[in-house]
Amino acid sequence: MHEPLPLWGTALAGLAFTGAAAVLAWLASVVRSDVSLVDRVWALLIVGAGWVYWALLPAPSQRGLAMLLLASVWALRLGAFITWRNWGHGEDRRYQAIRARNQPGFAFKSLYLVFALQALLAWVVSAPLLAGLAGGRPLHWLDAPGLALAAFGLVFETVADLQLARFKAVATHKGRVMDQGLWRHSRHPNYFGECCVWWGLWLTALAGGMAAAWSIVAPVLMTVLLLKVSGVRLLEQDIAERRPAYRDYIARTNAFFPGPVRPHAD
């Protein structure tokens, strides 16, 4: 009988999975000349690493399995939504800008500039799944707040995405700013929901014991990415210049945390 892998060996197996899956996605992107394929597989890389941990750990916990199932719903929903939203639109303009800055030879450069980087980030974000699966303490009442927060975040971001998609589907809304529903109280309610998912999963892992505290790197990284890197900052970099009405939206609406609408300042 084979000895079970030590925890670090299991973690590295998760990294091997995200790396191999990212290479396959990169090959598809070269064929299609569309690096934005990485957005469609990003969530699947994370939860795929989680299932690798589940398969390799000798006695994965019930807590970790509950976390993994919730994360799988999150990943499938997000991957399907991004695929549907981007279908037939070609490469996202953000990646077109990266492509233009890194010519010649971007087809190969994208392997490490985009796909390897995303594989590494996905592996880090999967940390609470490893911590939760490795924890031996049975499920108890302290798991409820974390699982509830993660489930709330999943529902919140799903509703936000559906509201935005429905708004964009109306021809007369073209060029207008979406400021209805959840978007009335936050400029990025989908990102807020996403952060709730990962802070909730971390809290659930922590309910299994303080040994899981190290996995806080995942929600911290996800929050930084969404607020400062690929989320709020990148999306709003030039949107106010292209759509002047967005400046008024910024003045009256919180960027991230939902809150009351501020009075419009003349």
Side-chain angles (χ1 to χ4, degrees), residues 77-177:
R77 192 228 50 109
L78 184 60
F81 175 76
I82 292 175
T83 299
W84 169 79
R85 184 191 64 188
N86 295 349
W87 194 265
H89 293 289
E91 189 171 62
D92 186 280
R93 62 187 185 86
R94 294 169 299 163
Y95 292 109
Q96 290 177 7
I98 296 173
R99 181 183 294 274
R101 288 197 304 267
N102 291 279
Q103 294 291 9
F106 178 71
F108 175 72
K109 291 178 183 177
S110 65
L111 174 59
Y112 56 88
L113 289 176
V114 178
F115 288 89
L117 176 60
Q118 294 296 319
L120 180 61
L121 294 175
W123 176 62
V124 174
V125 172
S126 73
L129 301 178
L130 175 60
L133 286 162
R137 185 182 297 177
L139 280 166
H140 54 91
W141 68 270
L142 285 176
D143 291 287
L147 290 172
L149 178 60
F152 163 80
L154 176 58
V155 173
F156 199 88
E157 69 172 330
T158 300
V159 171
D161 283 339
L162 289 174
Q163 287 178 342
L164 182 59
R166 187 172 299 171
F167 180 85
K168 288 183 173 181
V170 178
T172 56
H173 289 167
K174 186 174 182 179
R176 287 179 53 188
V177 173

Side-chain angles (χ1 to χ4, degrees), residues 36-47 70-87 94 118 122 125 153-162 189-195 197-198 222 226 230:
S36 53
L37 286 175
V38 73
D39 291 342
R40 303 183 190 184
V41 302
W42 155 251
L44 299 177
L45 296 180
I46 298 171
V47 80
L70 199 156
S72 296
V73 175
W74 165 81
L76 291 172
R77 192 228 50 109
L78 184 60
F81 175 76
I82 292 175
T83 299
W84 169 79
R85 184 191 64 188
N86 295 349
W87 194 265
R94 294 169 299 163
Q118 294 296 319
V125 172
L154 176 58
V155 173
F156 199 88
E157 69 172 330
T158 300
V159 171
D161 283 339
L162 289 174
N190 50 344
Y191 293 158
F192 171 75
E194 187 119 328
C195 279
V197 169
W198 288 97
M222 185 66 84
L226 291 174
S230 61

